Amino acid sequence: MKYDYLVVGAGLYGAVFAREAVNAGKSVLVIDKRPQTGGNVCTKDIEGIHVHVYGAHIFHTNEKKVWDYVNRFAEFNRFTNSPVANYHGELYSLPFNMYTFNKMWGVVTPDEAAAKIEEQRRAAHITEPKNLEEQAISLVGTDIYEKLIKGYTEKQWGRPCTELPAFIIRRLPVRLTFDNNYFNALYQGIPMGGYSRMVDRMLEGIPVRLNTDYLADKEALDALADKVVYTGPIDAYFGYSEGALAYRSVRFETEVLDTPNFQGNAAVNYTDRETPWTRIIEHKWFEFGKDDQGNDLPKTVISREYSSEWKPGDEPYYPVNDAQNAALYETYRKLAEKETKVIFGGRLGEYKYYDMDQVILSALNMAEKEVVN
Ligand code: UDP
C-alpha cells in the first residue's frame, strides 16, 4: 500500500505530525532507526524511576494550545525546575535571582542587587552586547558570569563565550525576586508515566517501523509514500554535500546508586571549568517532586552529562548556532526548499535550538498547513 506520508523519526515532531495527519484522514507510516519511539525525549524504567535516557526534558510552555494538546496524551505533574549551581563546592540558586545575588554579594534588597549589576556592567564598558560573554555580563555582572556562566558554557559548547551568540544566555531568566523557577512559563510539568508513554499514546493506531534507517534505504522507503516528513539532521539528508553542520553531542554516564537521595534535586549544574561534566541529573526528583524521603524508593538513578563536539557516529543534540553554521544551514535550507515532496521539521531538520513546546507548535502548524482543509 502507498501511504500519504512517510514520517522519518518517531520523536515529538514526527509523532505530533503523524497524529494530526491520521486524525485528518491521511495514511501515515512512521519509521525510526532506533529500537524505540520517543526520539530524544525517550524515557526508560530503571528501578521504578522514569529515566530520561537522552537528557533531561522539562516540559514548559506559554502556549495554551500546546499545553492542552500534550494534556490529551498524558497527565502532567506539578514539577518546577529549580536547578542548583555548584561552583567548586559553593552552591547558588538558579536561575539568577535574589537568592543568587544574596549569596554572591551579600545584597539584601532588589535595589542593592540592581546597583551591583549596574556597577559591574559599567566597569566592563558594554553598551550593545555582541556575543554571549558581553550579553551575560550586561545581564548579571562579571562575578556571576565568571562563576556561574563562563565555565559551564565553555564546557557545554566547546567554544569561548566571545564566539557564541548572545541569544543562548537569554534563555535563562534574570529576576530581582526570590523565585527559583528556571522557566518563565505559564505551564510546566513532567508527564506522569514518562515521555515515552506520552509519545506512544500520540502514535496509537499508527504503524511504526523501528530499527529502520531511512538514509540507508532511502529510495525504497520513499517509494512507500507520496510525501516525506524528515526529522533527522538536514545536512545528513543531503549527504553533507555542503559540509557538515556543527552539533554538540552529550555522553551520559548513568549509574544506579544504593542511596535514596544523592543530591536532593533533579539538576545540579557544575559551573566551574575543572569538573569535567556539565551537570548531574537525579531522575527520581522529576517525578516525586518535593518528597524528600525519595518516596521510599531505596535506590536512585543519576546521569552525569559530558558535552563534546559531534563527530560521525555520535548522536547530535544541540545545533551550534554561531555565524558560520547559521550561514551553512542557510545553504541547506535553500536545497531543502527544492525538495517539494519533503518537509524538514524539528530540532535537527530545522537546525534550531527548539524547546519541546516549540517543536510541537511547529508540527501542529505544519500539519494544519498540509492536511487540514
Ligand atoms: N548556562 C550557564 N550556566 C548554567 C546553566 C546554563 O552558563 O548553570 C548557559 C549555558 O550557556 C547554556 C545556556 O545557558 O548552554 C542555556 O541553558 P539551558 O539550561 O537552557 O540549556 P539546556 O537545558 O537546553 O541544555
Side-chain angles (χ1 to χ4, degrees), residues 94 148-149 152-153 157 171-172 182 269 271 279 318 353:
L94 291 174
L148 305 186
I149 297 174
Y152 185 96
T153 299
W157 296 98
R171 288 169 60 84
L172 275 60
Y182 199 64
N269 294 356
T271 59
R279 56 189 169 196
Y318 297 88
Y353 193 176

Side-chain angles (χ1 to χ4, degrees), residues 10 22 26 44 91 93 97-98 104 144 160 169 177 193 214 216 220 256 274 278 281 285 318-319 347 354 359 367:
V22 167
K26 304 291 180 188
K44 272 196 185 137
L91 301 185
S93 290
N97 70 73
M98 285 303 296
M104 189 68 71
I144 290 182
I169 202 67
T177 59
Y214 173 70
V256 179
E274 290 69 30
T278 51
I281 300 299
W285 301 119
Y318 297 88
R347 210 187 241 215
Y354 268 142
V359 165

Side-chain angles (χ1 to χ4, degrees), residues 319-373:
V320 179
N321 293 109
D322 59 12
Q324 187 193 342
N325 285 290
L328 181 54
Y329 169 67
E330 221 13 62
T331 60
Y332 279 117
R333 202 185 54 77
K334 289 201 178 108
L335 287 180
E337 264 173 15
K338 292 189 196 135
E339 299 277 300
T340 50
K341 291 190 166 182
V342 186
I343 293 163
F344 293 80
R347 210 187 241 215
L348 302 175
E350 295 175 62
Y351 197 65
K352 238 189 195 155
Y353 193 176
Y354 268 142
D355 287 330
M356 287 181 280
D357 64 326
Q358 298 167 318
V359 165
I360 290 171
L361 192 61
S362 132
L364 287 174
N365 289 339
M366 181 54 78
E368 209 165 294
K369 203 167 115 196
E370 277 285 311
V371 297
V372 180
N373 301 311

Side-chain angles (χ1 to χ4, degrees), residues 195-210:
Y195 283 95
S196 281
R197 193 159 87 179
M198 177 178 87
V199 172
D200 285 342
R201 283 196 179 148
M202 289 173 174
L203 291 170
E204 225 161 63
I206 301 172
V208 178
R209 273 192 215 167
L210 298 171

Side-chain angles (χ1 to χ4, degrees), residues 98-367:
M98 285 303 296
Y99 290 112
T100 329
F101 305 140
N102 172 262
K103 176 108 186 217
M104 189 68 71
W105 298 314
V107 294
V108 171
T109 66
D111 279 352
E112 287 168 11
K116 195 81 193 168
I117 293 171
E118 184 55 25
E119 176 195 315
Q120 299 201 344
R121 186 207 329 247
R122 275 171 198 260
H125 304 293
I126 295 162
T127 41
E128 262 190 37
K130 287 183 296 295
N131 54 50
L132 196 154
E133 176 174 288
E134 294 185 3
Q135 178 71 79
I137 293 172
S138 83
L139 286 171
V140 289
T142 316
D143 292 337
I144 290 182
Y145 169 66
E146 293 288 342
K147 285 190 168 183
L148 305 186
I149 297 174
K150 191 171 192 291
Y152 185 96
T153 299
E154 295 190 353
K155 285 190 286 187
Q156 163 71 13
W157 296 98
R159 289 158 174 75
C161 291
T162 46
E163 286 173 22
L164 288 164
F167 84 86
I168 293 179
I169 202 67
R170 291 198 300 267
R171 288 169 60 84
L172 275 60
V174 178
R175 301 195 185 104
L176 294 173
T177 59
F178 292 91
D179 180 357
N180 284 332
N181 187 349
Y182 199 64
F183 300 117
N184 277 327
L186 274 175
Y187 311 103
Q188 181 172 181
I190 303 279
M192 278 141 80
Y195 283 95
S196 281
R197 193 159 87 179
M198 177 178 87
V199 172
D200 285 342
R201 283 196 179 148
M202 289 173 174
L203 291 170
E204 225 161 63
I206 301 172
V208 178
R209 273 192 215 167
L210 298 171
N211 303 303
T212 304
D213 186 346
Y214 173 70
L215 294 176
D217 200 13
K218 187 170 179 302
E219 219 171 298
L221 290 163
D222 280 343
L224 296 178
D226 292 333
K227 268 185 128 171
V228 172
V229 176
Y230 175 83
T231 70
I234 188 168
D235 53 347
Y237 179 92
F238 292 105
Y240 305 101
S241 64
E242 312 303 301
L245 286 163
Y247 299 89
R248 294 297 288 174
S249 191
V250 188
R251 182 169 62 81
F252 300 96
E253 248 173 34
T254 297
E255 277 181 82
V256 179
L257 302 178
D258 235 340
T259 169
N261 186 359
F262 170 73
Q263 62 182 17
N265 203 35
V268 176
N269 294 356
Y270 286 76
T271 59
D272 57 80
R273 194 68 191 80
E274 290 69 30
T275 306
W277 52 85
T278 51
R279 56 189 169 196
I280 301 182
I281 300 299
E282 187 170 9
H283 301 267
K284 65 172 15 176
W285 301 119
F286 287 129
E287 296 187 277
F288 305 127
K290 300 294 170 266
D291 180 354
D292 62 6
Q293 298 308 303
N295 202 24
D296 74 17
L297 277 180
K299 295 191 182 186
T300 195
V301 183
I302 63 163
S303 300
R304 285 189 175 77
E305 297 188 11
Y306 299 83
S307 183
S308 61
E309 197 70 8
W310 176 88
K311 53 184 189 331
D314 293 344
E315 294 286 355
Y317 287 88
Y318 297 88
V320 179
N321 293 109
D322 59 12
Q324 187 193 342
N325 285 290
L328 181 54
Y329 169 67
E330 221 13 62
T331 60
Y332 279 117
R333 202 185 54 77
K334 289 201 178 108
L335 287 180
E337 264 173 15
K338 292 189 196 135
E339 299 277 300
T340 50
K341 291 190 166 182
V342 186
I343 293 163
F344 293 80
R347 210 187 241 215
L348 302 175
E350 295 175 62
Y351 197 65
K352 238 189 195 155
Y353 193 176
Y354 268 142
D355 287 330
M356 287 181 280
D357 64 326
Q358 298 167 318
V359 165
I360 290 171
L361 192 61
S362 132
L364 287 174
N365 289 339
M366 181 54 78

